[in-house]
Amino acid sequence: MKFQVRYYSRSGNTKSLAESIAKAAGVNAVSIVDENSSINEKTDILFIGGALYAYGLDEKIVDYISKLDAAKIDKAFVFSTSWISKHSITLLKKALEKKGIFVCKEFIHFKNKPTEQELKKAEECVKSIINS
Ligand SMILES: Cc1cc2nc3c(=O)[nH]c(=O)nc-3n(C[C@H](O)[C@H](O)[C@H](O)COP(=O)(O)O)c2cc1C
């Protein structure tokens, strides 16, 4: 099984969650602003996360998703650290589904900077997903 983890993070909260997810999946977490963030090989699960900034996702992640090659991605799993609402989860799902990418109904959402306990919970959640 091939996994990829991509995220957009301004202040590190989503990055921290992405790194725990990546650790559980045995891969590196890659920021969507990095040069090597494109997905060029067949991927079983793309874990992708972002947060809300003034009620919306950052344009960079919206643009990144719009350029994904759906043929290379079997399914996506979304995560977020937005503070007040989980609307980020809905927005990520909608953007991926618009591309024709299947999105798992489960997701991971913690408010702002995840605690050590929450990061452990995320790792366990990802391990159970990839082993199911
Ligand atoms: C300028 C700004 C606007 C924000 N707007 C929202 C918002 O509309 N809704 C919300 O739930 N959280 C909002 N937040 C909180 C962030 O989504 C939250 O802190 C998130 O963890 C930031 O992730 P990051 O550290 O990965 O960038 C905002 C944060 C900033 C800095």
Side-chain angles (χ1 to χ4, degrees), residues 1 6 8 18 20 28 36 40 45-46 48 55 57-58 62 76 78 90 92 94 99 111 115 120 123:
M1 294 274 273
R6 297 290 183 274
Y8 177 75
S20 287
N28 290 324
N36 62 345
N40 303 315
I45 308 179
L46 166 64
I48 183 161
Y55 312 107
L57 298 170
D58 190 282
V62 175
V78 298
T90 308
L92 286 165
K94 273 191 183 163
K99 286 291 297 181
K111 290 184 173 187
T115 62
K120 277 264 168 265
E123 279 183 45

Side-chain angles (χ1 to χ4, degrees), residues 8-15 51-56 81-85 112-113:
Y8 177 75
S9 181
R10 288 190 193 173
S11 58
N13 299 343
T14 313
K15 180 181 182 193
L52 286 179
Y53 307 98
Y55 312 107
T81 62
S82 51
W83 177 37
I84 303 161
S85 92
N112 283 321
K113 186 175 162 52

